Every structure is written in structure tokens, then in C-alpha cells.
């Protein structure tokens, strides 16, 4: 099984619908992140969480919300999807305990390709 | 906040030629620097990282990157590329105990 699992892998939804993307990890990492990838823009940070009680906005949080249900689970919601939220979404994890998180880099899931029509 | 600029969006090269993918960063404090690789239809994988110490870091598949503090650069190089190196490469920067910011990516295409 993958260390970081994202579901669904692909999703097509209609404008105005609510949709949730889920991420779960078996790495035991305390930190989790949501990024979106758009061609020519790279990865942009949506939200991040340094532990279960900590939620932080990233560069592009408008139109999104998150929930950290447990250390291993971090979900991203689009309350009312719009076409410009069509993108590839990645969940990532990192570990801050003991040494800095930088020593391990991030572990990424395989991504969710979301299309809003 | 930290930021990253990848200077080339696409780099086409022939097999066995050398390649350099350029990355510059901006930060007011000490940083950690990373290169990630993304193969088609996959997530990102860590290729190499600079945390401290030697400014030249290497990956297991022949890539290397050199941290240049005065030029705020972290360029990625490989002396001889293979078809299998075709992928998108992302440079990333992280300030101590902070989140990571990524560049826009460079698509490396290796032609036979």
C-alpha cells in the first residue's frame, strides 16, 4: 500500500457541487499539506496542518476548506466547485519530530485529477 | 515568504548530452533546498536536497545540484542524460520549520 493515499484518483463534478478529496497516510507524520498543480504554475499551497489541532491557510485558500480528522487523515473540500478549480490536487506529508521536517522532504500522494464542468 | 523561480519551462536535449535546469530562490533567512521529479501520471518524488554542509549534493541516479548562496541559486545538472530522465522537475525552498514553496517546473524532454 502507498504511504500517502488520495481518493478519488479522478473526479468530474458539476459547477456548484460540493466535493471532498481525501488523504490518508501511514507514514506517522504529523504535518500534512494540500497543493494544487496547474500547467505552468507548478504547485501552489492551499492549506497545511502541523498537527491535529492546527490548520493554516496557504497561498490560495479561497474557495477551499480542510478538516484534519486524525493525525493520519486530512481532507480538502470545495464547498461550491467552479471551473477554475479544475486541476491536479496533491496531498503531502512531512515529519517535524526530533529533527527538522526538512531532513525528510515531503512524501506525496499520487494526486487527484479534478474536473469541474 | 520564500519563493522560487525556475528559469526554463522546457528543456529539450538529446540522449547522452549534458543538461542544466536552473533554479533561483528568494528568502530573507537560511533555507533548505530541494529538487523533486514528477514522471507522467505520478506524484512528486524527492530527487535531492540541500540542508547544510557541502554545497554540492548528489542523487543516486547521477543528478547533482550546487547551492550558491551569493547567487541564490540551486541549479540541477547531469553530465549525460537518458531517455528515462524525461520528466518534469520542480525546485522547492523551505525556510526553517516552515512550509515548502515550489517553482513552476521545468519539463525535461530527452530525445534519441
Amino acid at each position: 500500500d502507498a504511504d500517502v493515499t488520495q481518493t478519488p484518483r479522478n473526479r468530474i463534478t458539476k459547477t456548484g457541487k460540493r466535493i471532498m478529496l481525501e488523504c490518508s497516510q501511514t507514514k506517522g507524520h504529523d504535518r500534512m499539506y494540500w497543493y494544487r498543480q496547474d500547467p505552468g504554475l507548478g504547485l501552489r499551497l492551499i492549506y497545511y496542518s502541523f498537527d491535529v489541532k492546527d490548520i493554516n491557510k496557504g497561498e490560495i485558500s479561497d474557495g477551499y476548506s480542510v478538516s484534519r480528522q486524525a493525525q493520519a487523515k486530512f481532507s480538502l473540500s470545495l464547498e461550491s466547485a467552479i471551473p477554475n478549480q479544475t486541476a491536479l490536487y496533491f496531498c503531502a506529508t512531512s515529519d517535524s519530530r526530533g529533527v527538522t521536517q526538512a531532513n525528510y522532504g515531503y512524501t506525496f500522494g499520487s494526486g487527484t485529477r479534478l474536473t469541474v464542468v | 515568504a520564500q519563493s522560487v523561480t525556475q528559469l526554463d519551462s522546457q528543456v529539450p536535449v538529446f540522449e547522452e548530452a549534458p543538461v542544466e535546469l536552473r533554479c533561483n530562490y528568494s528568502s530573507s533567512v537560511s533555507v533548505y533546498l530541494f529538487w523533486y521529479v514528477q514522471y507522467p501520471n505520478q506524484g512528486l518524488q524527492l530527487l535531492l536536497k540541500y540542508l547544510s554542509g557541502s554545497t554540492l549534493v548528489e542523487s543516486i541516479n547521477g543528478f547533482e545540484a550546487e547551492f550558491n548562496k551569493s547567487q541564490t541559486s540551486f541549479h540541477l545538472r547531469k553530465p549525460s542524460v537518458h531517455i528515462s530522465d524525461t520528466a518534469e522537475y520542480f525546485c522547492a525552498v523551505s525556510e526553517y520549520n516552515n512550509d515548502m514553496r515550489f517553482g513552476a517546473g521545468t519539463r525535461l524532454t530527452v530525445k534519441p
Side-chain angles (χ1 to χ4, degrees):
Chain A
D1 289 343
D3 293 326
V4 181
T5 302
Q6 292 185 235
T7 55
R9 289 297 309 273
N10 293 281
R11 180 74 180 266
I12 300 174
T13 192
K14 294 183 177 181
T15 297
K17 292 291 188 181
R18 183 179 188 275
I19 183 169
M20 180 182 289
L21 310 183
E22 302 199 39
C23 176
S24 62
Q25 53 119 343
T26 58
K27 298 283 289 184
H29 288 172
D30 53 342
R31 298 182 172 192
M32 299 186 74
Y33 311 82
W34 275 105
Y35 287 88
R36 65 176 278 176
Q37 183 181 14
D38 299 278
L41 296 178
L43 279 76
R44 292 180 292 167
L45 183 63
I46 306 172
Y47 270 96
Y48 60 104
S49 170
F50 281 179
D51 64 42
V52 176
K53 297 179 181 179
D54 177 77
I55 300 290
N56 304 281
K57 292 183 177 181
E59 304 167 79
I60 53 164
S61 59
D62 288 348
Y64 302 94
S65 62
V66 291
S67 173
R68 185 82 183 266
Q69 302 96 320
Q71 186 187 43
K73 296 183 181 296
F74 192 39
S75 59
L76 175 72
S77 294
L78 286 68
E79 296 301 326
S80 178
I82 56 177
N84 75 0
Q85 291 177 312
T86 293
L88 186 56
Y89 290 83
F90 285 104
C91 176
T93 71
S94 68
D95 189 355
S96 68
R97 292 167 297 179
V99 295
T100 68
Q101 59 87 22
N103 283 352
Y104 298 97
Y106 285 15
T107 301
F108 282 85
S110 297
T112 294
R113 186 169 296 279
L114 176 66
T115 303
V116 183
V117 298
Chain B
Q2 70 274 37
S3 66
V4 178
T5 301
Q6 290 184 243
L7 298 167
D8 308 290
S9 59
Q10 298 187 59
V11 174
V13 295
F14 287 104
E15 194 173 19
E16 298 183 5
V19 70
E20 179 180 76
L21 307 184
R22 297 179 294 167
C23 172
N24 287 99
Y25 70 91
S26 173
S27 175
S28 58
V29 299
S30 295
V31 296
Y32 305 120
L33 295 158
F34 305 81
W35 277 98
Y36 286 83
V37 58
Q38 183 181 32
Y39 298 104
N41 300 313
Q42 295 186 25
L44 278 70
Q45 303 172 34
L46 181 64
L47 186 61
L48 48 75
K49 61 191 176 192
Y50 169 78
L51 306 179
S52 64
S54 173
T55 57
L56 184 65
V57 291
E58 299 177 353
S59 71
I60 59 173
N61 58 354
F63 282 95
E64 64 179 30
E66 186 162 18
F67 170 56
N68 188 319
K69 187 175 182 179
S70 63
Q71 297 188 6
T72 61
S73 68
F74 191 54
H75 301 332
L76 181 69
R77 303 184 182 96
K78 188 170 185 179
S80 176
V81 293
H82 303 289
I83 298 288
S84 60
D85 292 323
T86 293
E88 188 148 21
Y89 292 80
F90 292 92
C91 183
V93 61
S94 175
E95 296 173 347
Y96 176 77
N97 217 32
N98 209 339
D99 61 276
M100 191 175 299
R101 299 299 169 99
F102 290 81
T106 297
R107 185 171 297 280
L108 174 64
T109 303
V110 181
K111 299 178 287 186

